[in-house]
Amino acid sequence: MDPKSSLETLETTSWWMRGVLVNQKPSLLFTLVIATQLVEDSVVKLDRICREANVKLVFVRSYGLAGFVRVSVKEHTIIDSKPDHFLDDLRLNNPWPELKSFVETIDLNVSDAVAHKHIPYVVILVKMADEWTQSHSGNLPSTREEKKAFKDLVKSKMISMDEDNYKEAIEAAFKVFAPRGISSEIQQISNDTCAEPSSNSSDFWVMVAALKEFVSNEGDGEAPLEGSIPDMTSSTEHYINLQKIYLAKAESDFLVMEERVKNILKKIGRDPNSISKPTIKSFCKNARKLKVCRYRMVEDEFSNPSVTEIQKRLADEDYSGAMGFYILLRAVDRFTANYNKFPGQFDGGMDEDISRLKTTALSLLTDLGCNGSVLPDDLINEMCRFGASELHVVAAFLGGIASQEAIKLVTKQFVPMLGTYIFNGIDHKSQLLTL
């Protein structure tokens, strides 16, 4: 690829985008820009343009057997982050009045063996947690010994060894040990300066402001209840009653949140109905899983990276290849700016290109504050042998990774990568660098 063509293409795109942005709202034209095979100067320029327009941006570059993917956006908020592992929202250690009342109607000492086998583990654990706190000054199990003692307490209530409901209760006992209230991450989001809403606030931050009010008032330290319960050994009657109690509480919390959202919208001069009920309901259901991703400007990362992190990765045998390619992918762009070609792009002069690239890479490391750091000669030689080629298998793989990140950004589901994803086809590694 001619290095000049990359710059010329970007300059044309830049003027076109700037012209568009003067006349129309960019949000109506662009949800996302995906930029491929750009050199460093072009990357910096396009990142600046997209940030000014508040447009999401994904960079992808395939270079020989290496490449990278990097997301850049001022702020990306996610309601449905879909974490791989997350505790059911059962409130076993902090039951609300209706759940308490239901639990109190069930006797764990019932003489009927069939009935005893079909008490839901939610009921068993709420009762056991209450019994434990009464004899431990209101405290839940915290140490390993206490947790084991709690499980033994649950086990002692079994009247036969084939009671699956009690086995489920013992396996789910860790849900009782979970801290009450919202997580530190949700607390941090609630305390964010953006959670002080204004007329320019996004729907997400308006709902976060409502969540903050809810947690401090009706929620008594908790987020709105999700309202679902997992499968468990239980009689049909008990399970349906439990479902109704959880659904009723979730609906009650949603109505409170809806009213708070409307009040905040009125306060900031917006239509009280501008945030739909399904949106608020989804927010309530996922209130414990909210995510806010903020990305550094590419220009800031390039000019002021974390020197400590770079040195740490270069010294780490497992990450040295990824860090080396990160440096060299930047070094080849400096090389291109100086010599008007990519290293190894043309036949002949390979030794000279290797020497020049090595000097350029060392100069870049010095500029980054990594004096004394060096890159392996083998890696530098490989970059020159690549000759800026774009191998179809590497391009396809990186395109797949970029597509996955694009879908996350557009749908606002799952969490996009934070940092620069480096593909190392020589060592068959994919690693993430946060600089």
Side-chain angles (χ1 to χ4, degrees):
M1 179 183 71
D2 182 356
K4 279 189 173 181
S5 68
S6 173
L7 291 168
E8 289 169 356
T9 300
L10 179 79
E11 288 301 325
T12 303
T13 305
S14 300
W15 284 111
W16 176 75
M17 285 186 71
R18 286 187 186 280
V20 168
L21 299 180
V22 166
N23 298 301
Q24 299 187 48
K25 291 183 179 179
S27 59
L28 299 179
L29 292 164
F30 301 104
T31 300
L32 175 75
V33 171
I34 300 176
T36 64
Q37 303 301 86
L38 297 184
V39 295
E40 185 170 310
D41 286 348
S42 304
V43 167
V44 169
K45 288 178 182 178
L46 184 57
D47 184 48
R48 197 181 300 131
I49 293 167
C50 286
R51 281 184 178 251
E52 287 174 5
N54 201 28
V55 172
K56 299 175 177 66
L57 178 61
V58 179
F59 291 109
V60 195
R61 190 171 187 182
S62 172
Y63 196 101
L65 290 173
F68 74 84
V69 177
R70 209 261 201 198
V71 173
S72 184
V73 59
K74 281 182 184 178
E75 177 183 276
H76 180 63
T77 56
I78 310 159
I79 294 175
D80 190 3
S81 62
K82 299 187 184 296
D84 291 334
H85 305 287
F86 213 80
L87 282 180
D88 300 311
D89 191 12
L90 299 176
R91 309 285 168 90
L92 302 176
N93 56 17
N94 193 17
W96 61 99
E98 291 80 4
L99 179 58
K100 277 184 180 178
S101 298
F102 173 72
V103 167
E104 288 169 1
T105 65
I106 300 175
D107 183 10
L108 294 188
N109 298 316
V110 62
S111 57
D112 185 339
V114 175
H116 198 265
K117 285 182 181 180
H118 290 86
I119 299 172
Y121 82 73
V122 167
V123 173
I124 296 169
L125 290 177
V126 170
K127 279 184 173 289
M128 293 296 95
D130 183 56
E131 183 177 326
W132 178 277
T133 53
Q134 286 181 21
S135 59
H136 290 80
S137 305
N139 297 317
L140 290 165
S142 57
T143 66
R144 181 181 296 180
E145 292 75 18
E146 287 179 340
K147 291 175 182 179
K148 183 179 183 303
F150 180 82
K151 290 181 180 180
D152 290 340
L153 177 64
V154 175
K155 191 174 182 179
S156 70
K157 303 297 181 179
M158 296 177 71
I159 59 176
S160 66
M161 295 307 295
D162 64 342
E163 294 186 306
D164 290 337
N165 57 334
Y166 275 87
K167 291 176 184 177
E168 290 171 0
I170 293 168
E171 288 177 2
F174 69 94
K175 298 176 183 179
V176 174
F177 313 146
R180 295 182 177 121
I182 60 175
S183 67
S184 57
E185 186 173 9
I186 300 303
Q187 186 67 59
Q188 187 177 356
I189 292 174
S190 297
N191 293 335
D192 194 287
T193 53
C194 292
E196 300 298 328
S198 67
S199 57
N200 296 321
S201 295
S202 66
D203 291 353
F204 177 87
W205 287 112
V206 169
M207 290 187 287
V208 168
L211 173 65
K212 187 175 182 179
E213 292 180 2
F214 178 91
V215 171
S216 300
N217 296 282
E218 297 87 357
D220 192 25
E222 298 277 7
L225 189 74
E226 288 183 23
S228 59
I229 60 175
D231 291 337
M232 64 189 76
T233 302
S234 169
S235 67
T236 303
E237 181 184 359
H238 285 338
Y239 191 82
I240 291 174
N241 286 335
L242 265 182
Q243 272 188 324
K244 288 178 179 178
I245 291 166
Y246 275 86
L247 287 171
K249 170 64 172 167
E251 182 66 18
S252 172
D253 288 352
F254 157 70
L255 293 173
V256 172
M257 276 287 291
E258 182 184 31
E259 191 60 32
R260 288 197 172 277
V261 168
K262 287 182 176 181
N263 289 339
I264 291 171
L265 288 170
K266 284 180 187 175
K267 195 183 299 182
I268 61 177
R270 287 175 54 184
D271 178 1
N273 297 309
S274 59
I275 302 179
S276 68
K277 285 188 176 185
T279 300
I280 300 172
K281 187 159 281 191
S282 174
F283 184 91
C284 291
K285 185 177 180 181
N286 295 285
R288 299 184 305 137
K289 306 167 189 173
L290 307 177
K291 295 284 183 182
V292 176
C293 302
R294 293 185 174 116
Y295 298 82
R296 292 183 72 182
M297 282 191 72
V298 173
E299 186 174 16
D300 185 34
E301 179 185 313
F302 284 173
S303 61
N304 187 31
S306 170
V307 177
T308 304
E309 188 68 16
I310 292 175
Q311 292 174 332
K312 176 185 172 185
R313 295 306 185 190
L314 285 172
D316 185 334
E317 184 178 348
D318 192 43
Y319 272 85
S320 59
M323 194 69 247
F325 275 126
Y326 176 88
I327 297 296
L328 285 171
L329 284 166
R330 293 191 58 193
V332 296
D333 290 340
R334 283 197 179 189
F335 182 104
T336 303
N338 291 331
Y339 302 108
N340 200 32
K341 67 168 187 172
F342 288 106
Q345 185 176 10
F346 304 115
D347 293 336
M350 179 66 76
D351 291 341
E352 184 180 30
D353 282 358
I354 290 172
S355 176
R356 286 174 170 176
L357 181 59
K358 184 174 183 178
T359 302
T360 304
L362 290 174
S363 173
L364 175 59
L365 284 167
T366 301
D367 291 348
L368 295 176
C370 300
N371 298 325
S373 296
V374 294
L375 299 177
D377 287 342
D378 288 348
L379 211 57
I380 295 171
N381 295 345
E382 286 297 331
M383 286 298 286
C384 289
R385 276 196 286 270
F386 292 162
S389 59
E390 186 177 352
L391 304 180
H392 67 280
V393 288
V394 176
F397 180 81
L398 290 168
I401 298 294
S403 299
Q404 178 177 278
E405 298 310 299
I407 291 169
K408 292 177 186 176
L409 291 166
V410 171
T411 63
K412 294 193 172 184
Q413 294 182 4
F414 298 95
V415 182
M417 294 187 294
L418 286 166
T420 302
Y421 168 88
I422 301 291
F423 172 68
N424 176 351
I426 296 174
D427 296 328
H428 309 291
K429 286 183 177 179
S430 295
Q431 292 167 309
L432 203 60
L433 300 174
T434 306
L435 306 173

